Amino acid sequence: MGASHRGDLTRLAVVVLIAVLVLALLVVFLLPAATPIVGTLNEGLGIRESVPWGFGLTVALIAFFALVAGDGLLGELQFMLGAFFAFFLILTLLIAWVF
């Protein structure tokens, strides 16, 4: 094993250590912030309360699909609109049913 391989392994170990530390800090700081959200979900959600959750999740999924598709945003707009309404309906009903 040459010196360059050792340097690469050291660099990899440092990157993994930093990633673990950042993840631990996120858990420590964001877990208490999620307590009110979890408290709201423990009470249960009806259709009316699940609509904003379904809409937000649908917008995030459609935006993700548009970014992954690359130049497919303009050519596939009609399919994305249909998928938006289908996702919105299904996700809203599932969120209301599960929570």
Side-chain angles (χ1 to χ4, degrees), residues 3 7 11-12 21 27-28 32 39 42 50 52 54 58 62 81 83 92 98-99:
R11 193 173 305 133
L12 177 64
L21 287 174
V27 167
V28 166
N42 283 339
S50 66
T58 303
I62 293 297
L81 288 175
T92 300
V98 170
F99 295 111

Side-chain angles (χ1 to χ4, degrees), residues 2-99:
S4 66
H5 294 295
R6 233 172 264 227
D8 291 342
L9 289 175
T10 305
R11 193 173 305 133
L12 177 64
V14 169
V15 168
V16 168
L17 181 64
I18 289 172
V20 168
L21 287 174
V22 167
L23 185 63
L25 287 173
L26 284 175
V27 167
V28 166
F29 288 116
L30 293 182
L31 200 56
T35 304
I37 296 171
V38 173
T40 302
L41 293 177
N42 283 339
E43 298 169 1
L45 293 174
I47 293 291
R48 187 171 289 161
E49 293 88 11
S50 66
V51 167
W53 290 93
F55 183 77
L57 189 57
T58 303
V59 168
L61 279 172
I62 293 297
F64 174 72
F65 289 158
L67 288 174
V68 172
D71 62 347
L73 180 61
L74 295 176
E76 305 296 331
L77 188 59
Q78 68 274 17
F79 298 112
M80 289 182 67
L81 288 175
F84 175 82
F85 291 116
F87 273 140
F88 180 66
L89 177 68
I90 291 169
L91 290 175
T92 300
L93 294 175
L94 285 176
I95 289 170
W97 177 49
V98 170
F99 295 111

